[in-house]
Amino acid sequence: MSIKLAVIGYPIKQSKSPIIHGYWMEKHGIEGTHEAVQIDLDQFERGIQKLIDDDYRGFNVTVPHKERIIPLCTEIDDTAKAIGAVNTVTIEDGKLYGSNTDAYGFIQNLKQQCDQIDRSKKAIVLGAGGAARAVVYALQHDGFENIVLLNRTRERAEVIVNDIGGTVDNWDQRSAILEEAGLVVNTTSLGMIGQPELELDVSALPHEAIVYDIVYKPLMTDLLNNAKDNKNQIVTGIGMLLHQAVPAFEQWTGIQPEINDELERLVLA
């Protein structure tokens, strides 16, 4: 039996999902396809209905559709409700069931890369977009006791705190508050190829602190290079992308796939 899977977004050509899921499908002898499907904003509901009519098993959801898909779902899981976004949809009997695997991907990557994680120390999260919501949710549910959000627009960070938890501090003081940090996470696009650099002086960071950048283009951002020079343990963003795909693939196929170096190389190529 052949299955059809997709990733939807606008634009969509940059998505790595077809590479990841296509690799696993081939690895496990599953016939079918995982393709990138661009759905324009003004054709959203029609585009989703076409996936249903064409007998797709499910699809990944990327920007800007992660919130837009929620009203079309018959049911969404508790994580998606808390984060306010759906990134994975399974289709059963013409109905959509949504979930969010971003928080899982974030925390699994952290655990895989770091043996020693001090959850009692301050966890500083830079940014207040959708990724920050997933990160704060993941940290909170993993037992981090002191989560601090920093964002250029303070009001956006306050929304996350009110919805999920944590506290807010001043973006302009971001370098000064690193002294008590055990973890620093960049969820902004700063440092990504084509974007301005993230201006953050990591010299005040304790050497045992972990620095995690969810950006993976480039894999080694200036933030990570500076943190490495400061003797801090670093976590790159590619693992989050790969780990968040695992539960999606399992939902659609019943198979829990493995992440290996070959897949990572394919995605980064």
Side-chain angles (χ1 to χ4, degrees), residues 155-176:
E155 291 75 17
R156 292 191 67 188
E158 289 173 344
V159 170
I160 296 178
V161 167
N162 290 333
D163 289 348
I164 303 176
T167 59
V168 181
D169 212 320
N170 191 344
W171 174 263
D172 293 335
Q173 300 299 315
R174 60 192 180 279
S175 296

Side-chain angles (χ1 to χ4, degrees), residues 237-258:
I238 188 62
M240 178 178 174
L241 175 70
L242 297 174
H243 280 287
Q244 64 81 31
V246 169
F249 190 82
E250 187 173 11
Q251 285 180 40
W252 298 327
T253 68
I255 297 169
Q256 185 178 51
E258 292 185 356

Side-chain angles (χ1 to χ4, degrees), residues 16 35 43 88 114 117 121 124 151 165 187 199 202 209-211 217 221 244:
K16 300 294 186 179
E35 57 189 307
Q43 298 290 318
T88 301
C114 303
I117 303 171
K121 293 284 184 67
I124 298 172
N151 191 57
T187 74
E199 296 178 2
V202 298
I210 300 165
V211 179
K217 284 187 174 180
T221 60
Q244 64 81 31

